[in-house]
Amino acid sequence: MPSPTDPVREAVPAGSAELPDPPSPDDVHARVVDWFAEHARDLPWRRPECTPWGVLVSEVMLQQTPVARVLPRWEEWLRRWPTPADAASAPAADILTVWDRLGYPRRALRLQAAAEAIVERHGGAVPESREELRALPGIGEYTAAAVACFAFGRPEVVVDTNIRRVHARVFSGAALPGQTYTAAQRRLAVELMPATEPDGGRTACAWNAATMELGALICTARSPQCAICPVAELCSWRAADFPPPTEEQKTRGQAWAGTDRQVRGAIMAVLRRGEPVAPEALLDGLDLPEASAEQRRRCLDSLLADGLARQTDAGITLPQ
């Protein structure tokens, strides 16, 4: 039985039942990587011909956004701006228009800021190291590690929500990992990475991609398909008879209707049409009867403050 300080036990959220011994990481690595080799989706940013810039764009777009919505926007972005230099020199209005309805449009301006930094600091070539990537504007810990791994084959520890869920179920026996990425979960992710010496990190990089894909397609939050999971017979959650999530483990879904995000999105949709709009006409014309005048004004002010809109003599427009 593992000791109480074992990384697997340490990462179990509070309130979980007593669990059986976790599986051997080596056994899980082999099964998940083999499954991925056969079942991985053919996504353009995974293809050998995709550039590191294409990988970076995909990782930023995929934050909190489904693949189906990202695909057409990613293709249009790379068609318009195939290099960081192209994106860096583009008008901000074009950047936000191509971003369209991906949500969280500040990501689009941050991606352009990253492109500008790549041109200024790295001669227009996306840097390879996690540290250099992390130093770019708007690039966080996850994105830096993911680009270093998926674009350059560097065996960094990559952890997103899907990976956390697979780790929690297979190794810790928990139904869900909880909303917070804890220090214990971070240590577990490091412990579970395959050794890099035998093959220069190729298996470690494949493990990152495969675990992410398993969480996205099979080990989903609401409807896990355990009957076709390649590690079902090794899974600690299954061995513990699928204990339900505790209150700490549950993730609260984000509301949309009636929120400021919905109102901001509606304003941006009007501005992407390209014509200046008088503030009163813009706010009064929103097809959101439940949104108060105060909420509409607050959301417009926040877009102006964030640099996602600007006010001119002709009216409200996208930034230039």
Side-chain angles (χ1 to χ4, degrees), residues 106 256-268 271 279-280 282-284 286 288 290-309 311 316:
R106 276 177 289 189
W256 168 254
T259 63
D260 284 2
R261 283 183 57 221
Q262 183 188 30
V263 178
R264 283 165 56 101
I267 294 172
M268 290 296 294
L271 297 182
E280 296 77 12
L282 171 61
L283 298 182
D284 292 344
L286 297 178
L288 296 171
E290 69 281 4
S292 67
E294 185 277 332
Q295 184 183 28
R296 296 172 189 229
R297 170 53 65 178
R298 180 177 69 248
C299 290
L300 175 57
D301 289 344
S302 71
L303 290 171
L304 292 167
D306 289 343
L308 296 168
Q311 187 158 8
I316 306 295

Side-chain angles (χ1 to χ4, degrees), residues 13 29 41 61 108 248-249 270 304 306 309:
H29 293 157
R41 289 170 291 181
M61 287 186 169
E248 184 185 57
Q249 293 168 19
V270 174
L304 292 167
D306 289 343

Side-chain angles (χ1 to χ4, degrees), residues 107-314:
R107 289 182 296 163
L109 297 186
R110 289 171 181 163
L111 182 54
Q112 184 177 41
E116 292 169 352
I118 289 169
V119 172
E120 294 169 1
R121 304 175 194 172
H122 303 284
V126 176
E128 296 189 19
S129 75
R130 175 177 55 82
E131 294 77 14
E132 289 175 311
L133 288 159
R134 184 70 178 84
L136 297 175
I139 302 301
E141 176 187 353
Y142 163 79
T143 303
V147 174
C149 177
F150 302 142
F152 298 107
R154 297 194 170 211
E156 301 289 349
V157 178
V158 178
V159 181
D160 73 343
T161 300
N162 290 313
I163 290 175
R164 287 177 60 223
R165 187 167 56 254
V166 172
H167 288 177
R169 286 177 176 166
V170 174
F171 295 98
S172 301
L176 295 170
Q179 191 157 354
T180 303
Y181 182 33
T182 66
Q185 291 174 1
R186 186 187 302 272
R187 287 190 287 272
L188 175 60
V190 172
E191 184 76 13
L192 293 176
M193 280 288 283
T196 60
E197 291 80 8
D199 59 7
R202 286 193 299 274
T203 299
C205 290
W207 165 249
N208 285 333
T211 312
M212 190 181 299
E213 189 81 335
L214 187 69
L217 300 183
I218 304 297
C219 194
T220 60
R222 295 184 180 180
S223 303
Q225 301 181 61
C226 300
I228 59 173
C229 177
V231 292
E233 65 187 69
L234 304 177
C235 178
S236 296
W237 186 48
R238 181 173 181 265
D241 199 23
F242 307 107
T246 65
E247 286 302 313
E248 184 185 57
Q249 293 168 19
K250 291 178 181 177
T251 301
R252 304 293 183 264
Q254 292 184 325
W256 168 254
T259 63
D260 284 2
R261 283 183 57 221
Q262 183 188 30
V263 178
R264 283 165 56 101
I267 294 172
M268 290 296 294
V270 174
L271 297 182
R272 281 194 296 269
R273 297 172 188 167
E275 297 296 329
V277 188
E280 296 77 12
L282 171 61
L283 298 182
D284 292 344
L286 297 178
D287 187 20
L288 296 171
E290 69 281 4
S292 67
E294 185 277 332
Q295 184 183 28
R296 296 172 189 229
R297 170 53 65 178
R298 180 177 69 248
C299 290
L300 175 57
D301 289 344
S302 71
L303 290 171
L304 292 167
D306 289 343
L308 296 168
R310 68 182 184 126
Q311 187 158 8
T312 68
D313 293 340

